[in-house]
């Protein structure tokens, strides 16, 4: 006899406005306790010293998680000038310092150099695996870790505010998968002849999810005591709004539920959401008149 899964069947998204001081894994555990969901996962790690959008998929929504992880993201971040740290944020020890405090004009002028495809070296205190082990674990064990450089996409980068008295500047960035904003702040400071680290980091968008659709952990806890999950869990389709939808017939829906391909018009191409009666059935890629199933939803 199959072992019964713990928890309840809950399908959809909780878009958490993660507070400072809470790790992503801790945030997922908190949402699991509140929703009692059988299956849960998050899309895109946020450090404890960062706040903002943490998409948490429940049940069948986890099947769309790779598309959320790969989505572009928006961040607001503040560079504190004068010191570089081992973690490139407030958590680390100072590793270099000087008296360079760039002007607002100098900062604005250099941002174009960090837009488009750029190369960056991720912080050693990161979750990137080096020879099968997390880089931060190796560093904390006393090892010297050489981080490989990577190419990332910076779609937009702008100056939000500059406080010369405090020695801080807030910037806003839209970036692609794999970008380390801590490394971006560090490298901007170096390019201006100085040193810097992030004193604040807030993620304001992940793919289709923005702060407008987010909920605080405090509010989620309150609702969890008094309302059914359907009152605060967004539908699975919420994450798929940017993907073209294709409605299918009942017979085609039956084939899809069995994991079988269906024939479509030869002019279709790329990723689609296949739906029946407004319910998502699968994510599939159109190629040569066929829909090749990528993920099938059991909704």
């Amino acid at each position: 006899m199959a072992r019964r899964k713990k928890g309840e069947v809950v399908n959809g998204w909780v878009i958490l406005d993660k507070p400072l001081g809470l790790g992503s894994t801790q945030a997922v555990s908190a949402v699991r306790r509140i929703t009692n969901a059988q299956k849960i996962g998050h899309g895109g790690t946020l450090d404890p010293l960062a706040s903002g959008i943490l998409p948490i998929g429940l049940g069948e929504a986890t099947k769309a998680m790779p598309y959320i992880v790969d989505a572009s993201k928006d961040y607001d971040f503040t560079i504190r000038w004068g010191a570089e740290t081992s973690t490139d944020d407030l958590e680390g020890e100072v590793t270099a310092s000087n008296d360079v405090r760039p002007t607002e004009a100098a900062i604005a002028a250099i941002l174009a150099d960090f837009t488009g495809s750029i190369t960056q070296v991720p912080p050693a205190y990161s979750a990137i695996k080096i020879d099968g082990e997390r880089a931060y674990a190796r560093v904390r064990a006393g090892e010297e870790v050489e981080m490989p450089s990577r190419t990332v996409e910076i779609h937009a980068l702008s100056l939000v505010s500059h406080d010369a008295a405090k020695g801080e500047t807030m910037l806003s960035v839209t970036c692609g998968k794999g970008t380390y904003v801590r490394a971006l702040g560090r490298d901007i400071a170096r390019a201006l002849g100085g040193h810097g680290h992030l004193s604040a980091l807030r993620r304001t968008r992940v793919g289709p999810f923005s702060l407008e659709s987010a909920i605080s952990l405090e509010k989620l806890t309150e609702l969890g005591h008094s309302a059914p999950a359907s009152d605060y869990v967004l539908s699975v389709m919420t994450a798929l709004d940017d993907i073209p939808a294709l409605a299918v017939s009942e017979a085609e829906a039956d084939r899809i539920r069995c994991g079988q391909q269906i024939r479509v018009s030869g002019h279709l191409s790329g990723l689609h959401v296949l739906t029946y009666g407004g319910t998502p059935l699968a994510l599939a890629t159109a190629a040569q008149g066929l829909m090749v199933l990528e993920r099938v939803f059991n909704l």
Side-chain angles (χ1 to χ4, degrees), residues 144-164:
E144 285 194 17
V145 177
E146 185 174 346
M147 301 298 293
S149 63
R150 57 168 62 183
T151 299
V152 297
E153 295 294 327
I154 306 298
H155 304 299
L157 181 61
S158 60
L159 193 152
V160 177
S161 63
H162 178 70
D163 190 329

Side-chain angles (χ1 to χ4, degrees), residues 120-199:
Q120 65 174 201
V121 177
Y125 282 89
S126 66
I128 294 173
K129 286 189 175 181
I130 304 295
D131 296 329
E133 190 175 357
R134 302 291 184 188
Y136 66 77
R138 287 181 171 272
V139 174
R140 287 171 181 165
E143 295 183 41
E144 285 194 17
V145 177
E146 185 174 346
M147 301 298 293
S149 63
R150 57 168 62 183
T151 299
V152 297
E153 295 294 327
I154 306 298
H155 304 299
L157 181 61
S158 60
L159 193 152
V160 177
S161 63
H162 178 70
D163 190 329
K166 289 183 65 177
E168 292 188 338
T169 303
M170 178 184 284
L171 303 171
S172 178
V173 63
T174 299
C175 56
K177 178 185 178 183
T179 302
Y180 274 86
V181 182
R182 286 180 287 151
L184 180 63
R186 175 200 67 205
D187 293 344
I188 289 172
R190 288 178 178 178
L192 289 163
H195 295 295
H197 62 276
L198 263 58
S199 60

Side-chain angles (χ1 to χ4, degrees), residues 12-16 43 52-57 61 64-65 67-69 71-74 203-214 233-242:
W13 296 92
V14 169
I15 311 308
L16 188 67
I53 299 293
L54 182 66
I56 297 177
M65 198 65 76
Y67 305 96
I68 296 302
V69 172
S72 65
K73 302 170 180 67
D74 292 348
R203 188 156 67 191
T204 58
R205 183 186 62 84
V206 177
F209 300 129
S210 64
L211 288 171
E212 285 71 28
S213 57
V233 174
L234 304 179
S235 74
V236 173
M237 278 294 289
T238 311
L240 310 175
D241 284 345
D242 294 339

